[in-house]
Each structure stands twice: as C-alpha cells, then as structure tokens.
C-alpha cells in the first residue's frame, strides 16, 4: 500500500488513536482475550491469541513496508493491548512470539525494544533487565549500522528509539548513583558491568548513527537542492529505507540532550547546528522530538546567558503546543507533552525575569504565562533567589553523573550531585545580576540623570553604582561565535563622565510591513474580481 | 603519498573523535601548548573536561587550573562558566578553584579594584600563564568601551591596574593607535564611538525591511 504523506504524516497530525481501532483486523477475533487476566496469570509464558495476531500483522506490515499500518499498530493497537492486558505486567517474552514471525532476527529486536519500553513505563526494571535492554539496543543499532536493513518505519517509532535509549541511560545513571539502598547482589553485579550504559558507549552509538547515515552531508546537500529529505519527512519513496537516515537525524537531537544532561551546553548547541530550528524540518514531524529539541535548546541558551534565543524558541514551541494540544489528547505522549509544556513556561518565566522583552512573546503564550507565573515573576524581578531556585529545580533536566562510583568507598547516594552543581552555578549568576532589575526600573524613568542622583535613589554609593552600571552592560551584551557583540538589553544607556544618558527606546511603527501586506491583499482582490464573470 | 600518515591536529581529533578516552593525554598536552604559545581553544578544553567527567580519577588539578585561567582571559565570553559547569562541586570547594572562582566573580561584576588586589595575592596561580594581565586589561577596556563615552582617568586606572607614568604611556599608545582622545588636561578619557556607547549609531531594525518581503511585491508592481 502506498504511503500517503498528506494523510497523517503532516505536521499537524496528532498521533493519538481513536476507537475505530476496535475494527482493526488484529482484533477481528473478538474481545474474549481482552478481559483482564486472572490472578496468577503467567503472562511470560502464555501468548493470548490477540497478541499472536498482533505480531503476525505487525511482521507482515513491516515486511511490506506499509508505514501507515505499522504506525497504526505501533501507536494504537500496542497501547490498547498494553492497557487491557498488560497494565501491570510484561508482554510475552520474545521467545514465545518468535515462532509466529519466522524467528525473524530483526523483528525480534524491534519487539524487544517495545517490550523493554513497556517495562520501563509500567514497572520497575531489575538490574538484569537494565543490562538486557542495553544489550538489545546494542544489537539493534549494530544491525542497523552494519546490516543493511531494508525497512521503512514510522518516524514516531524511530524517534522513540533514540528518546528511550537516552532515557534508559539517564535512568541507569540515577539508579547507579543511589548506592545506599543497594543489595549486595546488586553491588556485586554493578562492579562487573562497566560497559553497560557506559556514557562513552552511548555517545559513540549516537555519533556512529550520525556518521554512518551521512545525515550531515544530506542536510548540507539539501540546501543546494540536490536531494530531498525534509520534503518527504525523511521517508524514501523509491523502495529504499528511511531507518538509518532518520535515526541519524534524531541522534543529532540526542547528542544535544546528552550534552545538556552532562552540563556541557556549548557542545550540545554545537551538536545541534546542522538543524535549523527556525525552518520546518524532520524534527517537526514528531511532536515529542520538536518539544525535546526546543526544550534543551532553550535551556542551554538560558545557561549561556543568551536570553533572547531562549525566549524566542520557548515562545515558538509553546504557541505551537497551545494551538495543537487538543489533537494529542488521546495519544500516549500526552502526559509528557503537558509536563514539558509546564516546564517550559517556568523556563520562559525565568528568562523574561532576567531579560524583560515582552514584545517577543505571543499574546496567547503571554496570557498563559501571566496565569501561571505573574506573581512569581514579580518576585524574581525583585531578585527573590528562592523563587529562582523553585522554578529552576522544577523545570531543569535530570542531570546525571556519568562516571561509575568507587564501590570501595563508603556508600552514599550521589544522584543529586549533578543537579546541585548546576543549580548552584545558576543561582550565583542570578545573584551577580541582582542590581540589574532596579537599574532598569530607574533608567526607564529618566532621559538623563547624574551618577550622584541615581546612586542616592538606589541607596548605594557612587563607586558601587558605577560598578553596577558596568555589570549591567556586561551581562546584557552577548558575544557571538564570530566575536561580534549583541545587546539584549531592553533599556540601554551610556555614561558621559558623570551623567547617565538613557537611549531613546521608543519603537517606531513598522509601516513597511503594513503596506506590503495590503498591497498584496489588494492585488489578490483585483485578481478575484477579474475572474468574476458578469452575466 | 602512499604509506605517509597525515599528522592529525588536535582540532581534528576533537571534531572527529571526541568521545575517545585515548585522546586524553593529547588534550592535556594541548593545554600546556596553549599556555606556552599564547593560543586558546575552548572546544578542545571542553572536550578534556568532558573526558575528566567520564574518568574522574584521571583529573589533573594543575591542568584544569591552567584551563580556567585561560578561560578567564577569554572574557567577556562565558568560557569560565562553561568550564565550571563540568567540574565536580567538591573540587570547586578546594584551591586553587576557590580563588579562581572569586576572581571570576569580581570580573563578572566589574569589581576591578577587588580583582587586581586578589590577583596580586595569588600571583603563583596566574603568572604561569603568560599574557594574563594584558588579556584582563583588554576585557576591562571592552566593558568600559561599551559603557562610557568619556570616563574619568581614575576609573580607567583602577580598571586596568595601571597608574602614574605607566598610565601616561598607555594612554599615549591608545591615542596614537586606537582613536582615543584626552580632555581636561588628561583627566578625562574619550573612548571611540561604537554602537553600545553611542546608541544612536545602532541601526534601527524597525525601519528596515528584508528584501524577500519586498520581492513578493515584484509581480504586482511589475
């Protein structure tokens, strides 16, 4: 069946499922197997008929490269069966379903990928299961990198693979860092498994996917118009495969995320450079990817003091979520979307408190922001450090300590160390910017004012004021990669000996855009009139 | 030429193979090289800090300290902060990191007098990196240039830690080469005009229209 790009693959598609799933062929045999299982139900060794049908159909659709059907089953049927049959238990082990799919090696790896993802979402993985999942990802990525797989999979699934891979890595680091509650068995196990979820391994897999897929060259050549990648959402319409290319693409976002989790914001942003977030791209095709990209991009810029970039990107994606979140309500991703939405409002509140630029924020987003954070923003503008602490702690990523601990030293929990460091450094930056807010509010009231007078208003001595003015200039001026200086100050000034002159910041009305818009519109009307035929 | 190996530069290593712990010694040597040759590479140094994060036992305090001094010299860029994000907190509580953090704090908040006092008390950390003093003076002048059109001589003196005859010579050099002028018998320094200390010079983006917007009109107008 030909894949229709206009149908669901467009950027506005929700990705949820609806009740017409009950009519799907894999549920054809009726609902008798969908009753909740009896207690003592041995889900690992019993394969319900409906699951047999599920894997058979899934296997067929993958062989036939029927991306639409794969997506329906992946997003819809899998979720439904999980909800009805495996709410608190695992899907049948891969060995049980393998006979129904010709023991196909690749399908089994894909099935296990879904199997582990279900486990992590519903239950607590044991340490052995964490290791097995790592092995499965290694095998899966090896096959994709070196095995010439010829499949087309939905972007949603490919994104989920990268996303889950990093999530499980993060989870393992957090798990390993809580040494106090570990049993002797677990500690002994941990000592021996240095390569499992090793940070170098994780980074190298992401890097390998990027390199082998040649995604950087593809994105480059696309700019010259030499081939299409973005225009087809990454899919291949000539009988080829999209898997390696799209995984490579999503790994770019993956690198951004991992670097941010390690506190290396510069490298994260550097890794993201090949993707222009201001242009439509494959990252828009999966809402989870779009949100993750902007969340980490914005956060990294916030930590680099590039407040304008942070504000603009948060605004962009928050507006998008505002307009489209109703389409995702039935999706399994919905909770995640809402969580990140709230976190980004908090980050936007922080950014705007440090760098007020109300004009950059869309009206709808601003209304939401006011509703959630009006009072907190006021307190932050008065340098309430506790408020910055609260919002930062709520909204920041779950930072990790990548290195294994020294198991011979006394056992402590160090899972909070990474977060505490980032918070501490962020708050010290906030403290350095303490006087900026009051300078801003005083400067807005005057066109010129002497140093002496301003100092007395602010209740500081003159040298302190001069130093604060220099700090204001330093903190509001960003150095770009090419060395140029960019000011993100909303109120600017210069000092002439002992007088402060405030720059006239009255924004002139933009007549140009207005006229252009109306010229085009008028032209349209004229053309329409020409086409009207009078009887 | 068959058989000949093209020597790979550190920059290439960092770009192509950054997550390989084997390159750690090369990166450490490169820090020393940056100090001696008065060059600087943020990417290579971040790469080294990252590898130290992965293998904390191999962290060399002396090398990290040198790296941080180089990062201070990169002000007004935020390099010092970027490095600190990657250094474990308990290490930051020890010397020389505590002193370096204090110095950074003074510079970030333009407390130049306090900075030079503290720097004087810690010459051992700083003197090993040639060019330090000039780099900080450059930063101080940068901040003054984006703030002041005309500034009192005493403020300049405090910011760059130069007084008396040395300051006279310094000013003479700036007047002859960098467009500075002096007024009031040398008591007032006039800095060259730029977008930041002369906001009228800033191109108002409100009035400019990108070409592509106007281009949309060409079919209509033509």
């Amino acid at each position: 069946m030909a894949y229709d790009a206009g149908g669901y693959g467009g950027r506005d598609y929700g990705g949820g499922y609806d009740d017409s799933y009950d009519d799907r062929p894999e549920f054809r045999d009726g609902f008798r197997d969908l009753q909740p299982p009896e207690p003592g139900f041995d889900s690992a060794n019993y394969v319900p008929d409906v699951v047999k049908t599920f894997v058979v159909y899934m296997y067929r659709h993958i062989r036939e490269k029927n991306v639409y059907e794969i997506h329906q089953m992946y997003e819809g049927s899998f979720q439904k069966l999980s909800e009805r049959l495996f709410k608190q238990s695992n899907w049948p082990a891969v060995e049980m379903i393998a006979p129904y799919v010709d023991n196909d090696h690749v399908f089994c790896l894909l099935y296990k990928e879904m199997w582990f993802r279900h486990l992590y979402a519903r239950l607590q993985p044991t340490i052995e299961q964490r290791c097995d999942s790592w092995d499965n990802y290694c095998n899966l990525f090896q096959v994709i990198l070196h095995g010439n797989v010829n499949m087309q999979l939905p972007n949603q699934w490919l994104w989920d693979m990268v996303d889950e891979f990093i999530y499980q890595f993060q989870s393992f680091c957090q798990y390993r860092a809580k040494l106090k509650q570990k049993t002797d068995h677990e500690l002994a196990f941990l000592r021996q498994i240095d390569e499992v979820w090793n940070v170098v391994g994780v980074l190298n897999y992401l890097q390998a996917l990027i390199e082998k897929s040649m995604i950087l060259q593809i994105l480059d050549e696309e700019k010259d118009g030499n081939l299409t990648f973005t225009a087809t959402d990454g899919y291949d319409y000539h009988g080829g495969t999209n898997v390696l290319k799209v995984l490579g693409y999503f790994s770019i976002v993956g690198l951004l995320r991992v670097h941010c989790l390690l506190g290396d914001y510069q490298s994260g942003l550097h890794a993201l450079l090949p993707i222009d977030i201001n242009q439509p791209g494959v990252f828009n095709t999966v809402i989870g990817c779009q949100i993750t990209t902007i969340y980490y991009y914005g956060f990294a810029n916030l930590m680099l003091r590039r407040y304008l970039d942070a504000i603009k990107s948060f605004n962009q994606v928050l507006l998008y979520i505002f307009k489209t979140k109703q389409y995702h309500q039935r999706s399994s991703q919905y909770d995640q979307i809402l969580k990140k939405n709230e976190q980004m409002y908090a980050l936007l509140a922080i950014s705007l408190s440090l760098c007020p630029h109300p004009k950059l924020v869309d009206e709808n987003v601003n209304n939401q922001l006011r509703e959630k954070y009006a009072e907190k923003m006021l307190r932050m503008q008065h340098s309430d450090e506790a408020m910055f602490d609260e919002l930062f702690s709520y909204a920041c990523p779950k930072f990790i300590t990548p290195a294994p601990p020294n198991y011979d030293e006394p056992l402590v929990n160090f899972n909070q160390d990474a977060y505490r460091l980032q918070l501490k450094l962020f708050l010290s930056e906030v403290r350095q910017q303490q006087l900026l807010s009051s300078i801003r509010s005083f400067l807005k009231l005057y066109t010129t004012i002497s140093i002496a007078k301003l100092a007395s208003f602010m209740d500081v001595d003159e040298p302190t004021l001069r130093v604060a003015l220099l700090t204001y200039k330093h903190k509001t001026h960003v150095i770009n990669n090419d060395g140029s200086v960019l000011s993100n100050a909303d109120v600017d000034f210069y000092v002439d000996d002992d007088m402060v002159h405030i720059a006239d910041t009255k924004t002139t009305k933009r007549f140009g855009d207005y006229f252009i818009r109306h010229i085009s519109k008028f032209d349209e009307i004229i053309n329409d009139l020409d086409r009207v035929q009078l009887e | 030429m068959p058989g000949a190996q093209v020597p790979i530069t550190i920059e290439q290593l960092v770009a192509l193979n950054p997550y390989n712990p084997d390159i750690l010694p090369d990166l450490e040597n490169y820090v020393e090289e940056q100090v001696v040759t008065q060059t600087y590479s943020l990417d290579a140094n971040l790469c080294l800090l990252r590898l130290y994060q992965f293998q904390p036992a191999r962290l060399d305090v002396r090398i990290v300290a040198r790296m941080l001094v180089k990062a201070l010299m990169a002000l007004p860029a935020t390099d010092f902060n970027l490095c600190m994000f990657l250094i474990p907190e308990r290490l930051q509580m020890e010397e020389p990191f505590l002193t370096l953090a204090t110095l950074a704090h003074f510079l970030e908040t333009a407390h130049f007098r306090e900075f030079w006092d503290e720097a004087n008390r810690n010459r051992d950390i700083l003197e090993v990196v040639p060019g330090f003093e000039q780099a900080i003076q450059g930063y101080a002048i940068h901040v003054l240039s984006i703030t002041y059109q005309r500034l009192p001589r005493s403020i300049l003196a405090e910011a760059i830690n130069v007084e008396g005859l040395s300051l006279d010579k310094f000013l003479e050099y700036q007047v002859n080469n960098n467009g500075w002028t002096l007024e009031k018998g040398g008591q007032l320094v006039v800095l060259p005009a730029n977008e930041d200390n002369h906001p009228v010079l800033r191109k108002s983006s409100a009035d400019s229209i990108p070409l592509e917007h106007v281009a949309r009109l060409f079919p209509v107008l033509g």
Side-chain angles (χ1 to χ4, degrees):
Chain A
M1 199 194 295
Y3 163 57
D4 176 27
Y8 87 87
R11 316 225 188 286
D12 297 323
Y13 173 68
Y17 73 92
D18 61 328
D19 285 328
S20 66
Y21 276 112
D22 289 350
D23 300 329
R24 290 194 54 81
E26 54 266 26
F27 298 140
R28 173 193 56 201
D29 291 331
F31 290 114
R32 61 175 188 278
D33 267 345
L34 289 182
Q35 304 309 314
E38 327 267 296
F41 173 60
D42 181 10
S43 72
N45 288 318
Y46 166 66
V47 184
D49 281 346
V50 72
V51 171
K52 283 183 207 153
T53 334
F54 174 85
V55 296
V56 165
Y57 272 95
M58 182 73 122
Y59 178 53
R60 178 193 306 172
H61 292 318
I62 291 181
R63 269 187 1 257
E64 294 174 358
K65 291 193 182 174
N66 189 334
V67 176
Y68 178 75
E69 290 293 330
I70 299 174
H71 189 279
Q72 298 289 83
M73 296 195 67
Y74 172 81
E75 239 326 78
S77 319
F78 185 80
Q79 299 304 331
K80 184 157 192 161
L81 288 175
S82 296
E83 193 56 35
R84 298 272 185 102
L85 286 183
F86 306 112
K87 210 167 168 127
Q88 288 296 315
S89 58
N90 284 317
W91 276 64
V94 69
E95 298 81 31
M96 306 305 299
I97 59 105
Y100 304 107
V101 294
D102 303 334
N103 288 297
D104 183 273
H105 177 59
V106 177
F107 184 86
C108 288
L109 293 175
L110 291 173
Y111 177 84
K112 280 211 287 191
E113 200 264 326
M114 291 164 63
W115 192 95
F116 280 112
R117 195 152 6 109
H118 172 85
L119 163 68
Y120 268 81
R122 306 267 180 168
L123 308 163
Q124 271 288 21
T126 65
I127 186 168
E128 288 88 349
Q129 285 168 333
R130 290 180 188 270
C131 294
D132 288 341
S133 182
W134 163 257
D135 283 338
N136 191 54
Y137 273 116
C138 290
N139 292 332
L140 183 58
F141 288 148
Q142 293 288 349
V143 143
I144 292 173
L145 285 167
H146 305 295
N148 276 323
V149 284
N150 194 6
M151 299 185 289
Q152 286 246 77
L153 294 178
N155 284 350
Q156 176 78 52
W157 192 347
L158 294 171
W159 164 251
D160 284 343
M161 270 187 218
V162 174
D163 192 42
E164 183 72 14
F165 179 61
I166 298 173
Y167 168 71
Q168 291 190 10
F169 164 61
Q170 196 178 355
S171 168
F172 184 79
C173 289
Q174 297 278 339
Y175 163 80
R176 180 174 57 189
K178 295 189 202 150
L179 291 175
K180 275 193 178 150
Q181 299 98 352
K182 293 279 179 290
T183 65
D184 288 334
H185 160 74
E186 284 170 316
L187 286 172
F189 209 101
L190 277 173
R191 277 174 191 262
Q192 292 169 355
I193 52 165
D194 263 354
E195 342 69 55
V196 171
W197 293 117
N198 183 302
V199 61
V200 172
V202 169
L203 284 167
N204 276 318
Y205 270 118
L206 294 174
Q207 183 79 356
L209 286 169
I210 293 176
E211 276 168 19
K212 199 83 200 298
S213 65
M214 313 242 297
I215 185 67
L216 299 183
Q217 290 87 321
I218 292 177
L219 289 173
D220 225 2
E221 284 189 34
E222 205 178 35
K223 289 193 200 130
D224 304 326
N226 284 338
L227 45 81
T228 47
F229 172 75
T230 306
T232 58
D233 287 351
Y235 291 103
D236 186 312
Y237 291 136
H238 305 297
T241 166
N242 73 335
V243 172
L244 182 57
K245 274 185 295 192
V246 175
L247 277 180
Y249 182 90
F250 288 142
S251 295
I252 295 175
V253 179
L255 278 184
L256 163 68
R257 179 172 168 193
V258 175
H259 281 299
C260 287
L261 293 175
L262 298 172
D264 190 353
Y265 308 109
Q266 174 85 353
S267 303
L269 289 178
H270 188 78
L272 187 67
L273 279 177
I275 296 181
D276 182 354
I277 58 163
N278 295 313
Q279 297 292 326
V282 173
F283 75 99
N284 293 121
T285 61
V286 180
I287 187 166
C289 179
Q290 185 173 2
I291 290 178
T292 300
T293 308
I294 302 297
Y295 169 80
Y296 284 99
Y297 174 82
F299 187 83
N301 276 299
L302 173 62
M303 297 304 270
L304 260 57
R305 293 210 307 254
R306 302 183 69 94
Y307 302 121
L308 289 186
D309 289 329
I311 293 170
K312 284 187 215 163
S313 57
F314 287 138
N315 178 60
Q316 179 196 348
V317 83
L318 287 171
L319 183 61
Y320 177 77
I321 297 177
F322 179 78
K323 288 187 181 158
T324 61
K325 72 171 179 236
Q326 68 217 75
Y327 303 120
H328 298 274
Q329 262 171 356
R330 318 285 296 279
S331 154
S332 57
Q333 320 263 329
Y334 192 57
D335 286 336
Q336 255 304 301
I337 295 174
L338 288 184
K339 175 90 196 272
K340 279 276 170 305
N341 188 52
E342 293 304 307
Q343 286 179 315
M344 286 193 287
Y345 272 109
L347 293 177
L348 183 60
I350 293 177
S351 309
L352 285 172
S353 301
L354 292 170
C355 179
H357 265 276
K359 295 221 174 64
L360 290 179
V361 184
D362 176 272
E363 201 183 310
N364 292 308
V365 173
N366 201 30
N367 290 339
Q368 294 280 306
L369 187 66
R370 298 261 137 243
E371 218 176 276
K372 298 174 208 277
Y373 290 115
E375 198 207 300
K376 300 196 180 193
M377 280 178 72
L378 203 57
R379 308 230 325 243
M380 287 194 285
Q381 274 152 19
H382 285 92
S383 305
D384 182 344
E385 205 176 291
M387 198 81 316
F388 277 108
D389 188 327
E390 184 187 307
L391 291 191
F392 182 90
S393 301
Y394 169 68
C396 70
K398 281 202 164 59
F399 300 105
I400 54 177
T401 308
N406 186 340
Y407 297 106
D408 295 322
E409 282 180 7
L411 300 179
V412 289
N413 284 355
F414 60 93
N415 55 314
Q416 295 273 317
D417 284 5
Y419 147 72
R420 273 209 313 261
L421 172 63
Q422 302 300 316
L423 173 67
K424 177 173 161 200
L425 293 171
F426 174 73
L427 288 180
S428 84
E429 177 67 43
V430 164
R431 228 170 287 135
Q432 286 177 352
Q433 298 193 23
Q434 228 170 0
L435 286 175
L436 269 55
S437 226
S438 30
I439 290 179
R440 216 175 256 128
S441 28
F442 278 111
L443 290 185
K444 281 198 179 133
L445 301 173
Y446 296 93
T447 45
T448 50
I449 181 172
S450 70
I451 295 268
K453 215 176 188 188
L454 183 55
S456 79
F457 283 161
M458 289 179 60
D459 208 15
V460 296
D461 61 19
E462 277 186 41
T464 307
L465 176 62
R466 284 188 187 271
V467 160
L469 290 174
L470 288 175
T471 310
Y472 181 95
K473 280 286 194 170
H474 169 58
K475 294 291 188 187
T476 57
H477 283 65
V478 170
I479 308 296
N480 291 322
N481 284 332
D482 57 3
S484 58
V485 179
L486 181 69
S487 163
N488 65 27
D490 55 334
V491 179
D492 214 348
F493 64 89
Y494 66 88
V495 183
D496 188 13
D497 194 5
D498 59 355
M499 289 295 286
V500 182
H501 298 257
I502 291 86
D504 185 15
T505 51
K506 199 172 51 180
T507 48
T508 52
K509 269 190 129 199
R510 299 178 66 109
F511 295 116
D513 282 344
Y514 181 81
F515 282 132
I516 289 179
R517 222 176 25 247
H518 283 264
I519 292 175
S520 304
K521 232 181 166 171
F522 192 61
D523 186 53
E524 241 175 73
I525 296 176
I526 301 276
N527 286 335
D528 286 341
L529 285 176
D530 278 342
R531 276 187 243 123
V532 170
Q533 289 184 340
L534 296 169
E535 297 291 307
Chain B
M1 225 185 317
Q5 272 221 318
V6 179
I8 192 165
T9 65
I10 294 289
E11 301 295 337
Q12 285 173 313
L13 263 183
V14 168
L16 298 173
N17 203 0
Y19 312 122
N20 180 0
D22 291 339
I23 69 174
L24 195 144
D26 297 301
L27 292 173
E28 286 179 327
N29 292 336
Y30 192 51
V31 174
E32 298 288 354
E33 194 184 306
Q34 290 173 53
V35 168
V36 164
T37 59
Q38 297 201 45
T39 51
Y40 178 61
S41 168
L42 175 66
D43 283 336
N45 293 347
L46 286 179
C47 189
L48 177 56
L49 282 176
R50 200 165 47 223
L51 292 177
Y52 279 154
Q53 237 190 355
F54 301 165
Q55 301 181 304
R58 293 174 80 173
L59 191 146
D60 184 327
V61 169
R62 219 174 32 103
I63 295 195
V64 177
R66 300 258 161 94
M67 215 192 289
L68 287 176
V69 175
K70 286 299 257 183
L72 275 183
M73 290 161 66
L75 276 164
T78 52
D79 295 9
F80 186 87
N81 295 344
L82 296 180
C83 293
M84 291 298 258
F85 286 133
L86 299 174
I87 298 173
E89 191 179 347
R90 50 162 187 81
L91 201 59
Q92 290 188 25
M93 314 272 23
E94 298 170 12
E95 290 296 351
F97 301 109
L98 217 45
T99 301
L100 288 169
T102 309
L103 291 172
H105 175 80
F106 287 144
L107 288 176
E108 283 279 342
T109 53
H111 281 85
F112 292 114
R113 187 173 48 83
E114 290 84 341
F115 167 78
W116 291 113
D117 285 343
E118 185 69 19
N120 224 1
R121 284 194 284 270
N122 289 283
R123 287 174 168 280
D124 51 331
I125 309 176
L126 304 170
E127 263 167 4
V128 283
V129 182
F132 180 76
E133 206 174 313
Q134 295 89 313
I136 303 300
Q137 287 170 331
Y139 164 63
I141 292 175
H142 158 83
V143 181
L144 292 172
S145 302
I146 60 178
T147 312
Y148 285 93
Q149 280 189 6
R150 299 186 300 171
L151 80 152
R153 180 192 159 107
S154 54
I155 298 206
L156 173 65
E158 187 179 88
I160 60 174
N161 198 36
V162 178
E163 244 307 346
L165 286 176
S166 315
L167 182 56
D168 290 331
K169 272 209 346 228
F170 177 85
L171 285 171
E172 198 186 310
Y173 178 82
Q174 296 291 349
V175 165
N176 292 335
N177 293 292
N178 289 332
W180 292 26
T181 52
L182 301 172
E183 287 180 13
K184 280 202 198 156
Q187 288 310 308
L188 210 54
V189 177
V190 184
L191 295 166
N194 56 53
E195 265 185 23
D196 299 294
N197 65 5
H198 277 74
V200 287
L201 289 183
R202 184 164 288 140
K203 282 197 298 274
S204 169
S205 61
D207 281 338
S208 55
I209 303 171
L211 178 60
E212 51 235 25
H213 292 186
V214 181
R216 276 190 237 136
L217 289 183
F218 290 164
V220 180
L221 302 172

